[in-house]
Amino acid sequence: MSGREVVVTGLGVVSPIANGVEKFWEGIKAGQSGIDHVKGMPDIDQYPVRIGGEIKDLDVEKYIPLKEARKMDPFSVYGMVAACMAVDDAKFDFDALDLQRVGVIASSGIGGMQFMQNECLKAYQKGPRWISPQLIPQMITNILSGYISIRFGFKGPNFCVTSACASGSHSIGEAMRIIQYGDADVMVAGGAEASIAMLGVQGFAALRATSRRNDDPKGASRPFDKDRDGFVMSEGSGILVLEEKEHALKRGAKIYCNASGYGRTGDAYHITAPDGEANEAARGISLAIADAGLKPEDVDYINAHGTSTPMNDKGETLAIKKALGEELAYKVAVSSTKSMTGHMLGAAGGVEAAILALAIRDGIAPPTINYTTPDPDCDLDYVPNVAREMNIDVALSNSLGFGGHNATLCFTKIK
């Protein structure tokens, strides 16, 4: 590698808690849940799972012409809005920006599920000739990267990474690599998802993966708690602007933190279940720490994947212990912000990377809310229920996806 350093200079978030980075961050620090009864599916009472994290009060027209937005699947709308926020936050002088040196890796775990579902229903009801010519471009996962590139004229590396719930983190990690290798100076990276629809809600319910606490939506996502019964599906987007450090300093950019390390591994174990031994998830954490030139004892905070499923939370706890060593693992603050946002699937890694940058900036470890009953298998310091002021020099974010995809990001404070 060329040794080029990478920093974070822009953030954009669309989430069930709030839209916009600072409002979202205020909600996270306050332990605010974005989960509620699903209102966007009129037949939701027919489903065994009736709760989720829906996007509310999004001013789409502020960022995208409504005529254009109506043609898009919601995942592209959320991703485009978050990308516009992030690029605005980075405050580029476009006249001075070499657009061939700016790229995009914006991803989704599932892509245009709502558009695809609706067109399939239309075809079954009216016949195949009724299928929209927009079906293919709106359902493919890479279309968001295309939209962002076209919107801003970014002509550098442009593609997507689809690795289920690790998609957002993989996108950011690969964007870091592209800058480090010298193939771009700036990358816009992250993920978006919009799967609260018939196929998404019932598909995960059929897997018995989602919480059925329909009578207590805000208490349903309870990572690491003994009484957890599954994740809560949510939607939204998290997009970051990553930049070569000297490029950012030369233009006087605001810098949130360093993007210092990245590790990725594969379980080679099962299509949906994590490996109970957690060896490869642990190795991914270790690779990210080593990639940043650090040691396990340097880690201050970990934003866990923390889905609120029995297997994930137990396995991730074990992975952290194996990567850091048990003695160190008990000293590190670990929290799952999915307790508040729900699980945003392919968008989760992007949103949680934004949280990582903000946690480092402000010296605040977000809480794991709904933590009431300790689990002997999950016995780390999960920052229960209340945010914690603390110095955070080194922070990690874990993302683990169906198929055994593991990704860990390491961000560090600017010195």
Side-chain angles (χ1 to χ4, degrees):
M1 286 169 46
S2 67
R4 286 158 51 99
E5 295 182 71
V6 183
V7 294
V8 178
T9 58
L11 303 175
V13 173
V14 173
S15 86
I17 294 174
N19 304 310
V21 169
E22 296 304 333
K23 287 184 179 180
F24 168 73
W25 182 229
E26 289 302 314
I28 289 289
K29 291 187 294 183
Q32 178 184 336
S33 173
I35 310 304
D36 208 336
H37 295 103
V38 171
K39 297 178 175 63
M41 294 173 59
D43 60 346
I44 191 64
D45 290 343
Q46 300 177 27
Y47 296 78
V49 174
R50 300 186 289 278
I51 56 176
E54 295 178 289
I55 300 304
K56 303 172 283 290
D57 304 320
L58 182 61
D59 186 0
V60 174
E61 198 170 10
K62 181 178 178 182
Y63 302 96
I64 313 170
L66 287 181
K67 184 178 180 181
E68 183 178 337
R70 289 191 187 103
K71 298 177 182 178
M72 297 178 174
D73 184 88
F75 99 92
S76 291
V77 173
Y78 301 155
M80 276 291 289
V81 171
C84 289
M85 291 176 178
V87 172
D88 288 349
D89 188 35
K91 295 181 171 57
F92 291 114
D93 176 358
F94 275 80
D95 291 333
L97 195 61
D98 183 351
L99 298 179
Q100 292 183 336
R101 300 283 298 169
V102 184
V104 185
I105 310 179
S107 301
S108 177
I110 298 176
M113 174 177 278
Q114 293 192 37
F115 206 102
M116 179 177 66
Q117 171 188 288
N118 294 339
E119 291 303 307
C120 284
L121 289 171
K122 188 194 301 181
Y124 280 120
Q125 291 166 0
K126 296 184 176 183
R129 291 183 180 274
W130 286 86
I131 289 177
S132 169
Q134 290 293 321
L135 171 60
I136 300 303
Q138 298 310 326
M139 66 180 277
I140 52 180
T141 54
N142 64 294
I143 199 65
L144 175 57
S145 277
Y147 272 130
I148 296 169
S149 169
I150 293 165
R151 169 65 177 269
F152 295 104
F154 297 152
K155 298 175 182 178
N158 185 286
F159 57 98
C160 83
V161 178
T162 297
S163 51
C165 305
S167 300
S169 290
H170 274 133
S171 298
I172 292 166
E174 297 304 318
M176 288 168 55
R177 286 285 186 264
I178 285 171
I179 295 172
Q180 288 169 336
Y181 282 127
D183 293 333
D185 297 320
V186 179
M187 293 294 294
V188 178
E193 205 77 83
S195 298
I196 298 182
M198 176 182 68
L199 293 176
V201 171
Q202 187 55 35
F204 282 111
L207 279 173
R208 307 290 298 189
T210 41
S211 173
R212 303 197 177 200
R213 291 176 181 263
N214 296 308
D215 58 340
D216 182 22
K218 296 194 180 304
S221 183
R222 41 198 324 110
F224 306 110
D225 188 271
K226 185 178 181 181
D227 297 326
R228 64 192 183 276
D229 72 327
F231 75 82
V232 177
M233 186 164 61
S234 294
E235 57 188 6
S237 179
I239 302 290
L240 278 63
V241 174
L242 304 176
E243 193 166 350
E244 194 271 325
K245 188 173 183 178
E246 291 304 317
H247 187 276
L249 291 173
K250 185 177 179 180
R251 69 180 187 86
K254 170 187 63 183
I255 297 176
Y256 286 93
C257 62
N258 299 299
S260 300
Y262 172 44
R264 70 276 218 221
T265 63
D267 282 348
Y269 176 72
H270 191 273
I271 59 168
T272 57
D275 184 353
E277 296 298 315
N279 289 324
E280 292 308 311
R283 189 166 68 90
I285 295 171
S286 297
L287 288 171
I289 296 169
D291 187 46
L294 301 169
K295 298 178 181 179
E297 54 264 36
D298 296 320
V299 178
D300 300 303
Y301 169 67
I302 299 175
N303 188 292
H305 189 56
T307 58
S308 184
T309 62
M311 287 190 292
N312 175 89
D313 297 2
K314 178 181 177 181
E316 189 174 9
T317 298
L318 179 59
I320 292 169
K321 290 178 179 179
K322 286 188 172 183
L324 303 185
E326 284 213 16
E327 184 178 349
L328 286 173
Y330 287 119
K331 297 177 181 179
V332 173
V334 179
S335 67
S336 172
T337 46
K338 289 184 179 72
S339 59
M340 296 171 276
T341 64
H343 192 351
M344 300 168 76
L345 308 179
V351 171
E352 289 157 15
I355 290 171
L356 215 61
L358 295 164
I360 291 170
R361 182 194 71 177
D362 293 350
I364 295 176
T368 303
I369 69 167
N370 301 321
Y371 186 82
T372 57
T373 307
D375 182 344
D377 292 324
C378 301
D379 59 350
L380 300 178
D381 174 7
Y382 300 114
V383 194
N385 301 308
V386 179
R388 180 182 303 164
E389 291 188 12
M390 58 178 285
N391 183 60
I392 302 176
D393 288 323
V394 178
L396 306 178
S397 179
N398 294 333
S399 293
L400 316 173
F402 279 2
H405 308 298
N406 308 313
T408 296
L409 300 172
C410 178
F411 287 0
T412 60
K413 184 181 289 187
I414 295 288
K415 299 296 187 181

